[in-house]
């Protein structure tokens, strides 16, 4: 059995998470598999809220087919979010608040580019977190969800660059044909600008 290398997780500062000045709100993910599931819940909340705002805003430059795709993605993310809330029950983190001020929801290009970054981040996050789970049932569910997230990423890339090979995501797939994986310590700083609360991941499992 390979030896394990310790990974250190820290609390994401409020100022990096887009929280208002002086905010002290901190969300603790917890430990073990519960902590990893709460980590996934935080990301699913972010994605569900993003697509809800995008669909509601009806950004310019997107035709009916593109808006239908965004609405489908919204529905998927809402289902994912509520699944984790139900699975975690009383152990679930609260509903988060978000700051999407960096996204121009009136612009289709701005929405799609933000969606590409968020989807690529989500796929890499699930790939990286799966190895930290100990319950095989949780791992199986995570595998099913990440496959859906990968389809989302491909759909967004195709909307950005239709009829090209962009959907294949060559920029995030390695020489062995595998999608990139990121550990929570790498993902949370990427998600932080969108989340107002501090995310305390200090008790998450380590490699």
């Amino acid at each position: 059995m390979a030896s394990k290398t310790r990974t250190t997780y820290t609390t994401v500062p409020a100022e990096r998470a887009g929280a208002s000045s002086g905010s002290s709100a901190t969300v603790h993910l917890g430990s073990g598999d519960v902590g990893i599931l709460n980590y996934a819940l935080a990301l699913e909340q972010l994605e569900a809220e993003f697509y809800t705002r995008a669909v509601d805003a009806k950004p310019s430059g997107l035709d009916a087919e593109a808006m239908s795709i965004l609405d489908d993605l919204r529905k998927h993310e809402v289902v994912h979010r509520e699944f984790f809330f139900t699975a975690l029950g009383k152990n679930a983190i609260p509903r988060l608040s978000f700051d999407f001020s960096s996204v121009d929801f009136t612009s289709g290009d701005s929405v799609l580019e933000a969606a590409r970054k968020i989807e690529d981040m989500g796929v890499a996050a699930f790939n990286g977190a799966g190895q930290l789970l100990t319950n095989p049932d949780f791992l199986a569910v995570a595998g099913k969800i990440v496959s859906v997230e990968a389809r989302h990423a491909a759909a967004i890339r195709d909307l950005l660059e239709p009829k090209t090979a962009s959907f294949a995501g060559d920029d995030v797939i390695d020489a062995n044909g595998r999608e990139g994986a990121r550990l929570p310590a790498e993902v949370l700083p990427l998600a932080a600008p969108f989340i107002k609360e501090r995310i305390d991941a200090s008790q998450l499992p380590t490699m």
Side-chain angles (χ1 to χ4, degrees), residues 28-107:
H28 301 275
L29 298 180
S31 60
D33 282 359
V34 167
I36 294 299
L37 295 183
N38 269 322
Y39 165 63
L41 173 56
L43 297 179
E44 293 295 352
Q45 286 192 60
L46 187 161
E47 291 178 328
E49 181 67 17
F50 171 80
Y51 284 113
T52 296
R53 295 194 191 190
V55 170
D56 289 346
K58 299 178 176 61
S60 64
L62 298 182
D63 60 18
E65 181 180 3
M67 289 304 302
S68 178
I69 290 172
L70 291 183
D71 191 43
D72 282 345
L73 269 55
R74 176 190 65 81
K75 292 173 182 175
H76 295 167
E77 302 299 3
V78 168
V79 169
H80 292 170
R81 180 191 68 196
E82 296 309 310
F83 166 79
F84 281 112
F85 270 124
T86 300
L88 284 159
K90 65 180 182 180
N91 294 314
I93 58 173
R95 294 186 183 270
L96 304 175
S97 51
F98 300 97
D99 179 357
F100 291 110
S101 57
S102 62
V103 182
D104 179 1
F105 284 103
T106 68
S107 165

